[in-house]
Amino acid sequence: MPSRRRVPVAAGHAALTAWAADPAASDRTTTATAVRFTLEELGIRAPGRSVEVRVPPFGVVQCIEGLQHRRGTPPNVIETDADTWLGLAVGTLDPAMAAGAGRLRVSGTRADLTAYLPLFDDLEKKVT
């Protein structure tokens, strides 16, 4: 069952578009909304609980079908900062390059989002 949206699609899309236009000029509220929106979108496109994606301090989502964890630290974790996550979500940053540069920390055998990224390679695309 996909998670429900907490960020309205229009507000999330507007925040993501504003961030993509000029990441350096994006304020904290815009960045937070864009991160939460894209994490929700990932949860909808890849439902499940086998991988946890963390973008502190803005949000976290569990996604991808498979074995799920119930307590403690999950075995499959992806953690990054907001700018890296949003760059991955819009396709301006390559996951392998981000991991190689230490900007994307990945642990676990199932912690691979390459099949789902970018989430928005065309920001004019309608989202669900």
Side-chain angles (χ1 to χ4, degrees):
M1 172 185 224
S3 59
R4 66 181 175 92
R5 287 210 183 266
R6 293 177 187 214
V7 176
V9 172
H13 194 264
L16 185 58
T17 302
W19 179 89
D22 190 357
S26 185
D27 64 18
R28 184 175 170 86
T29 301
T30 301
T31 300
T33 301
V35 167
R36 291 177 184 131
F37 171 67
T38 54
L39 288 173
E40 287 176 0
E41 185 67 21
L42 176 62
I44 289 168
R45 292 186 190 190
R49 294 180 165 253
S50 69
V51 177
E52 186 168 285
V53 180
R54 300 173 180 169
V55 184
F58 300 118
V60 63
V61 68
Q62 291 181 353
C63 58
I64 304 176
E65 291 182 356
L67 296 175
Q68 49 184 303
H69 69 279
R70 299 195 189 277
R71 299 182 70 197
T73 300
N76 301 292
V77 176
I78 298 169
E79 187 168 348
T80 189
D81 62 272
D83 286 335
T84 300
W85 170 249
L86 292 173
L88 294 168
V90 299
T92 59
L93 187 57
D94 178 65
M97 292 178 70
R103 296 176 61 188
L104 184 65
R105 291 163 301 286
V106 179
S107 65
T109 58
R110 297 186 49 85
D112 182 7
L113 297 178
T114 55
Y116 307 100
L117 295 174
L119 293 169
F120 300 96
D121 54 353
D122 177 4
L123 290 178
E124 297 305 312
K125 190 184 304 182
K126 186 175 180 171
V127 293
T128 57

